[in-house]
Each structure stands twice: as C-alpha cells, then as structure tokens.
C-alpha cells in the first residue's frame, strides 16, 4: 500500500513544513496535523496529542488474513493519565498502547480480552528508541518483535474488522508525544529472519543487497501493488516469495482495558 519515510516525507525530498506525509510508492498520502507542537524534523514527525489517520488502503491490509505493521519510534513521553495510545482504531479493533499503571506495552487485537493480548514488560525505556514489528496471521499467531528480536507470541483471534487506523491520540487519558521515524506495512506476516534483516539494515549493521536494474530503488519506485505492501524507516523491500530485494533508505494503544 505505502511507504512513509521520516527523512524523506515527500517524493521531492524532505519538506519540514509539509502538511502531507507522502507515500513514496503510491498515492496513499497521509494528511498530518502541523502546528507548533506537531512538525517534521530531518528525522521524522514529532507528534504531540493529535491523531493522524492512515489511508483506507492501509486499513484494508490490516483487515486482511495476514499483515506486518512495523514502525520506528523515539522519545516517547507519556502525557495521559492512564495510557499512551500509540496506534489505534475505533472500538479498539487495533490498539497498541503503553499502560501507566504497570509499565507494559500491550497489543489488543480484534477486540480480544486482556489474557489473550501481547504484553511487553518494562516498556517505557524501550519506547525511547525502537523499531516495533507486529506480524499477524489468522489461523496462526500475533507476534511482536522489538529491534528485530522476538518478545511476544499469542494466538491470533480472527479478522480485525477495523473501520479506521490512526497513530497518536487526542483523548485526555491517552495522550503522549513522540518522534515517528517511519512506517512499513506488508500484506503478509514476515518471518523472524526477515524482521531481523530489516532491523539490521535500519541499524546499519548489515549492508543491503545491491539492487538490480529490475528492482525498485528510491529513484524508481515502480512496484506491482499485488506484490508489494510497505511503509518505511530504513528498509529492504521483500516480495511475496520472501526474498529481500532493493534497499529503501528512510528515516526511521493505544487504548484501554
């Protein structure tokens, strides 16, 4: 569906006063709220107590049989009394959030009750600089990785049936500020090896493969939409066959009980 790069927020490069976070491989741009507390830097989008909505194409992927939702976040500051709602959908069909009462990062998926959710302990230090990856497959598992490392697995509960999807929150009990460096979204569940590879490229501990003329590059982002569904920090495109292709250089809860 899309690639959103915090260090290249438009197709023409970084425009720090832009009110749109442009999709670098399609037309699914995000309209973002820009003011004195919400703005682009050279690294990404500083967000403070507002909601920015993903386009319908992204929602459709989340509502499919499998997906990977991956993003880079830094400098999270909890403002809300009860939660810091990072990514959310109406009726909590998708809810990734920090819970202040016990310091956990919690993923509520497809409306599941507490005992069936992914839980990560002692999460606030993690959220100061992390790449967070969620893979989900109906009939399989909901898995969370932090910086390429597996941290939680729970059985998947079914389709999300989300009507929207947004990052940030404007409800008083769920407010936070943070730097978002980028997003990538796939229409399948990445393997653990692929997740680790993505993080290694992000962290510059692994050199991306040299792209061939047929592979997409930053200058030539022509990708068949039935094969590529992505959004980005510093990433490597991965096809349905599971093989990583060209490097994508980019920068780079939510709710309640």
């Amino acid at each position: 569906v899309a690639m959103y790069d915090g260090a290249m927020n438009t197709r023409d490069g970084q425009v720090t006063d832009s009110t749109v976070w442009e999709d670098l491989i399609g037309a699914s741009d995000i309209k973002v709220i820009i003011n004195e507390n919400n703005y682009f830097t050279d690294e990404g989008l500083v967000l403070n107590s507002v909601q920015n909505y993903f386009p319908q194409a992204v929602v459709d992927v989340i509502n499919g049989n499998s997906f990977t939702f991956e993003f880079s976040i830094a400098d999270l500051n909890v403002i809300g009394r009860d939660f810091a709602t990072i990514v959310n959908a109406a009726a909590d069909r998708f809810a990734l959030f920090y819970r202040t009462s016990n310091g956990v990062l919690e993923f509520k998926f497809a409306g599941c009750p507490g005992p069936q959710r992914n839980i990560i302990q002692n999460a606030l230090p993690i959220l100061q600089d992390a790449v967070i990856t969620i893979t989900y497959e109906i009939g399989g598992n909901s898995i969370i990785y932090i910086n390429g490392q597996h941290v939680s697995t729970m059985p998947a509960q079914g389709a999300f049936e989300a009507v929207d999807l947004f990052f940030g929150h404007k409800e008083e009990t769920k407010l936070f500020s943070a730097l978002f460096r980028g997003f990538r979204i796939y229409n399948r569940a990445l393997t653990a090896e692929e997740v680790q590879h993505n993080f290694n490229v992000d962290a510059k501990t692994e050199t991306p493969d040299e792209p061939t003329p047929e592979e997409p590059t930053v200058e030539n982002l022509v990708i068949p939409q039935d094969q590529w569904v992505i959004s980005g920090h510093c990433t490597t495109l991965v096809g349905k066959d599971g093989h990583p292709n060209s490097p994508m250089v980019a920068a780079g809860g939510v709710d309640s009980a």
Side-chain angles (χ1 to χ4, degrees):
V1 173
M3 172 180 171
Y4 308 106
D5 179 348
M8 186 177 173
N9 64 344
T10 81
R11 299 173 191 92
D12 296 323
Q14 191 73 350
V15 181
T16 55
D17 61 352
S18 177
T19 59
V20 177
W21 199 345
E22 293 187 359
D23 169 14
L24 298 184
I25 62 170
S28 298
D29 301 342
I30 301 174
K31 294 181 180 179
V32 293
I33 296 172
I34 298 296
N35 53 39
E36 62 181 3
N37 295 318
N38 295 270
Y39 51 88
F40 282 104
T41 70
D42 290 339
E43 289 187 76
L45 179 67
V46 173
L47 179 147
N48 188 331
S49 307
V50 298
Q51 296 175 189
N52 292 312
Y53 286 81
F54 289 97
Q56 186 61 43
V58 173
V59 178
D60 292 342
V61 171
I62 298 302
N63 286 335
N65 290 327
S66 63
F67 66 84
T68 298
F69 185 93
E70 191 165 51
F71 67 100
S72 178
I73 190 170
D75 303 330
L76 185 134
N77 176 46
V78 180
I79 301 172
R81 182 192 65 220
D82 300 322
F83 308 101
T85 299
I86 302 170
V87 185
N88 204 192
D92 286 350
R93 301 305 298 177
F94 186 118
L96 180 68
F97 59 97
Y98 173 78
R99 186 185 292 270
T100 61
S101 62
N102 56 6
V104 304
L105 180 66
E106 195 166 331
F107 182 41
K108 180 179 182 180
F109 49 90
C112 65
Q116 298 175 4
R117 302 174 190 172
N118 297 95
I119 301 289
I120 294 90
Q121 303 289 337
N122 302 314
L124 191 57
I126 294 171
L127 293 167
Q128 302 313 301
D129 186 10
V131 175
I132 299 174
T133 308
I134 300 170
T135 68
Y136 190 89
E137 188 164 18
I138 295 175
N141 294 311
S142 171
I143 305 175
I144 294 184
Y145 303 83
I146 303 292
N147 294 336
Q149 299 296 306
H150 169 264
V151 294
S152 176
T153 297
M154 294 297 289
Q157 297 299 311
F160 278 64
E161 300 178 352
V163 297
D164 58 15
L165 187 71
F166 55 90
F167 61 102
H169 220 290
K170 62 184 181 181
E171 290 188 22
E172 184 176 354
T173 61
K174 305 174 184 179
L175 303 178
F176 71 95
S177 64
L179 171 68
F180 285 89
R181 296 191 183 111
F183 296 89
R184 22 179 197 255
I185 298 161
Y186 301 76
N187 61 356
R188 64 182 182 87
L190 297 187
T191 66
E193 292 77 14
E194 290 168 333
V195 171
Q196 182 65 65
H197 175 78
N198 274 2
F199 176 71
N200 289 347
V201 175
D202 290 348
K204 295 181 172 58
T205 61
E206 182 175 327
T207 302
D209 298 333
E210 190 69 25
T212 68
E214 293 74 29
E215 293 171 335
T217 66
V218 172
E219 293 76 21
N220 182 25
L221 294 173
V222 180
I223 304 171
Q225 290 194 352
D226 63 337
Q227 297 181 27
W228 309 103
V229 183
I230 307 168
S231 86
H233 168 64
C234 176
T235 188
T236 295
L237 298 180
V238 179
K240 284 185 175 178
D241 60 1
H243 296 293
N245 291 302
S246 71
M248 271 303 172
V249 179
V254 166
D255 163 278
S256 67

